[in-house]
């Protein structure tokens, strides 16, 4: 499948690169052996982990095929070259040319970065793709990363995530008090406001942290990935929906200086392969989550529960407060928040009579 994608996208690269389609000239041109450009790509995920880990691998294959081997990218899983959450600095400093991660991990470096992964009660995957591609979001993302010498590109989306794994029921908002939960980004800030204890951990540490009691609860992604990590073995209750991450965009980070050195056609190939990866990951999660959830519930006895409406209402209210307050403290974050909200207002108004209306009628 990846080969077919690469062939189709190679045709698009020809158009972007200004290929004139002159068959006779192409046949007459001499074949020149060119030493391939070699890049390293570090990820924040375990090597070849379903979805998250395989996406950059597929990306590297597409780049290799579309460039006819002129650009080769070797992918390294979390911990192979550096810890999972040090990939941002590695790309910024140029020790690797690329990384695959999630932008909300870098809130300490650039608070506005959180908007480009997902924010509580924010845009879903379809809406995020629209904002980034045609709503000015990508240009803002580039502006946020420019001081670090990094070029960002969307690199996948998991869709609406699950609410997390718990060993006790969540019946009221008070049940979150004192709860130590792996919950990154602005969702973690909301938990802190509610007197919980947010913890940021890479995925490979979650099982052990839950097993040993280092944390009381955790969210990761959704059924497809959560089953692979075996989180059903260390927690009983599986809550939905993922209010904290309604449309989680992953990222490719590229060292800007390294990218600028590439020939124009290779730059186009990198961008097109990233775009294909962005859509392919969403397609994969949409398909794979179905069977994985069925397995968790029917084969492993997981108790699937929806957060109570009153809990969701309070989470929504506190989320709005936290995002507004933090945006007022950082000019770049305010700029991104204002642009995000303007786009959000329009797309949600339209979706009330399109996507949302159809979903209601279908049921």
């Amino acid at each position: 499948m990846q080969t077919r994608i690469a062939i189709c996208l190679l045709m698009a690269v020809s158009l972007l690169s200004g290929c004139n389609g002159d068959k006779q000239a192409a046949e007459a041109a001499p074949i020149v052996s060119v030493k391939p450009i070699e890049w390293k790509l570090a990820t924040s995920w375990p090597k070849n982990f379903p979805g998250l880990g395989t996406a950059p691998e597929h990306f590297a294959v597409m780049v290799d095929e579309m460039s006819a081997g002129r650009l080769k990218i070797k992918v390294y899983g979390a911990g192979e070259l550096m810890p999972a959450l040090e990939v941002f600095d590695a790309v910024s400093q140029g020790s690797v040319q690329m990384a695959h991660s999630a932008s909300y991990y870098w809130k300490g470096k650039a608070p506005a970065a959180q908007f480009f992964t997902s924010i509580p009660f924010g845009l879903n995957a379809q809406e995020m793709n629209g904002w980034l591609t045609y709503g000015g979001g990508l240009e803002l993302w580039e502006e946020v990363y420019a001081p670090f010498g990094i070029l960002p590109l969307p690199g996948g989306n998991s869709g609406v995530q699950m609410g997390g794994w718990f060993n006790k029921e969540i019946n009221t908002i008070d049940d979150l008090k004192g709860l130590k939960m792996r919950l990154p980004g602005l969702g973690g800030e909301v938990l802190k406001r509610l007197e919980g204890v947010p913890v940021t951990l890479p995925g490979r540490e979650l099982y052990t942290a839950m097993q040993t009691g280092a944390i009381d609860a955790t969210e990761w992604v959704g059924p497809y990935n959560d089953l692979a990590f075996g989180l059903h073995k260390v927690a009983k209750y599986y809550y939905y929906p993922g209010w904290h991450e309604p449309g989680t965009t992953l990222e490719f980070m590229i060292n800007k200086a390294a990218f600028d050195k590439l020939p124009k056609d290779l730059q186009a190939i990198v961008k097109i392969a990233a775009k294909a990866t962005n859509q392919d990951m969403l397609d994969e999660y949409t398909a794979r989550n179905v069977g994985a959830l069925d397995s968790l519930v029917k084969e492993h006895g997981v108790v699937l529960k929806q957060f109570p409406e009153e809990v969701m209402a309070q989470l929504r209210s506190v989320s709005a407060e936290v995002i507004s307050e933090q945006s007022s403290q950082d000019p770049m974050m305010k700029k991104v928040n204002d642009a995000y909200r303007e786009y959000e207002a329009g797309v949600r108004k339209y979706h009330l009579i399109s996507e949302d209306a159809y979903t209601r009628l279908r049921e």
Side-chain angles (χ1 to χ4, degrees):
M1 180 184 72
Q2 297 300 327
T3 300
R4 292 199 300 272
I5 293 174
I7 291 172
C8 293
L9 292 177
L10 184 54
M11 297 172 66
V13 173
S14 297
L15 294 174
L16 286 175
S17 303
C19 178
N20 61 18
D22 189 335
K23 183 177 179 181
Q24 290 182 341
E27 291 175 345
I31 298 175
V32 180
S33 178
V34 179
K35 182 179 179 181
I37 298 170
E38 296 181 350
W39 276 14
K40 295 178 181 178
L41 188 161
T43 78
S44 292
W45 331 116
K47 182 74 171 177
N48 286 315
F49 186 71
L52 299 179
T54 56
E57 301 282 357
H58 295 330
F59 166 82
V61 170
M62 282 191 282
V63 169
D64 184 38
E65 293 180 348
M66 287 193 288
S67 69
R70 291 167 54 216
L71 178 57
K72 293 186 175 295
I73 300 174
K74 185 171 183 179
V75 179
Y76 296 87
E80 288 191 282
L81 293 180
M82 66 210 63
L85 302 185
E86 291 184 12
V87 298
F88 184 96
D89 289 340
V91 175
S92 179
Q93 295 163 8
S95 55
V96 297
Q97 290 78 23
M98 289 191 69
H100 190 256
S101 192
S103 66
Y104 59 16
Y105 289 137
W106 326 128
K107 66 179 183 178
K109 303 175 186 296
Q114 298 170 98
F115 280 86
F116 305 105
T117 301
S118 191
I119 65 171
F121 298 96
L123 302 173
N124 65 24
Q126 182 177 346
E127 293 162 348
M128 276 294 291
N129 282 337
W131 179 56
L132 291 171
T133 306
Y134 291 104
L138 183 56
E139 289 79 6
L140 286 168
W141 198 355
E142 290 174 351
E143 186 177 347
V144 171
Y145 279 11
F148 304 96
I150 294 176
L151 178 70
L153 291 172
N157 200 301
S158 65
V160 180
Q161 296 200 354
M162 292 293 286
W165 295 88
F166 300 79
N167 277 313
K168 69 172 186 178
E169 294 187 62
I170 305 299
N171 296 311
T172 71
I173 204 71
D174 288 338
D175 290 326
L176 298 177
K177 289 183 178 180
L179 190 78
K180 292 182 293 182
M181 182 175 182
R182 188 270 183 186
L183 189 62
L186 286 163
E189 296 300 318
V190 173
L191 180 63
K192 185 187 296 184
R193 180 67 59 89
L194 293 168
E195 300 181 37
V197 182
V199 179
T200 298
L201 291 172
R204 64 190 301 174
E205 298 179 19
L206 299 183
Y207 184 95
T208 301
M210 284 290 290
Q211 187 179 48
T212 61
I215 56 176
D216 305 310
T218 186
E219 62 78 45
W220 179 228
V221 180
Y224 182 38
N225 282 161
D226 294 2
L227 177 63
F229 265 156
L231 295 177
H232 57 281
K233 300 176 183 178
V234 290
K236 179 179 180 180
Y237 300 106
Y238 199 24
Y239 273 88
Y240 71 94
W243 58 273
H244 58 297
E245 293 187 43
T248 308
T249 300
L250 285 305
E251 65 178 354
F252 283 112
M253 294 181 285
I254 309 173
N255 179 273
K256 185 65 164 53
F259 183 80
D260 289 344
K261 291 179 182 177
L262 291 178
K264 294 296 184 183
D265 65 324
L266 293 186
Q267 291 181 355
I269 284 171
V270 168
K271 287 185 175 182
I272 291 172
K275 196 173 187 69
T277 302
N278 187 58
Q279 184 61 50
D280 188 64
M281 183 188 288
L282 179 59
D283 297 345
E284 181 178 12
Y285 276 99
T286 301
R288 304 299 186 201
N289 277 331
V290 179
L293 181 62
D294 193 57
S295 176
L296 286 169
V297 173
K298 294 182 179 180
E299 297 175 25
H300 300 289
V302 167
V303 179
L304 185 65
K305 297 184 71 70
Q306 183 176 356
F307 286 117
E309 289 295 331
E310 56 271 26
V311 171
M312 292 295 286
Q314 292 179 72
L315 286 170
R316 186 181 302 109
S317 176
V318 174
S319 294
E321 293 175 5
V322 168
I323 294 171
S324 178
E325 289 176 13
Q326 292 202 4
S327 295
S328 68
Q329 297 168 9
D330 183 88
M332 190 67 228
M333 187 171 179
K334 183 180 186 305
K335 181 178 180 178
V336 174
N337 185 34
D338 289 347
Y340 185 100
R341 297 307 183 185
E342 181 179 359
Y343 173 84
E344 180 184 43
V347 76
R348 286 198 170 179
K349 182 178 180 181
Y350 176 68
H351 275 177
L352 285 175
I353 63 163
S354 56
E355 303 288 338
D356 298 347
Y358 172 70
T359 298
R360 289 193 301 271
L361 290 172
R362 183 169 62 176
E363 297 179 356

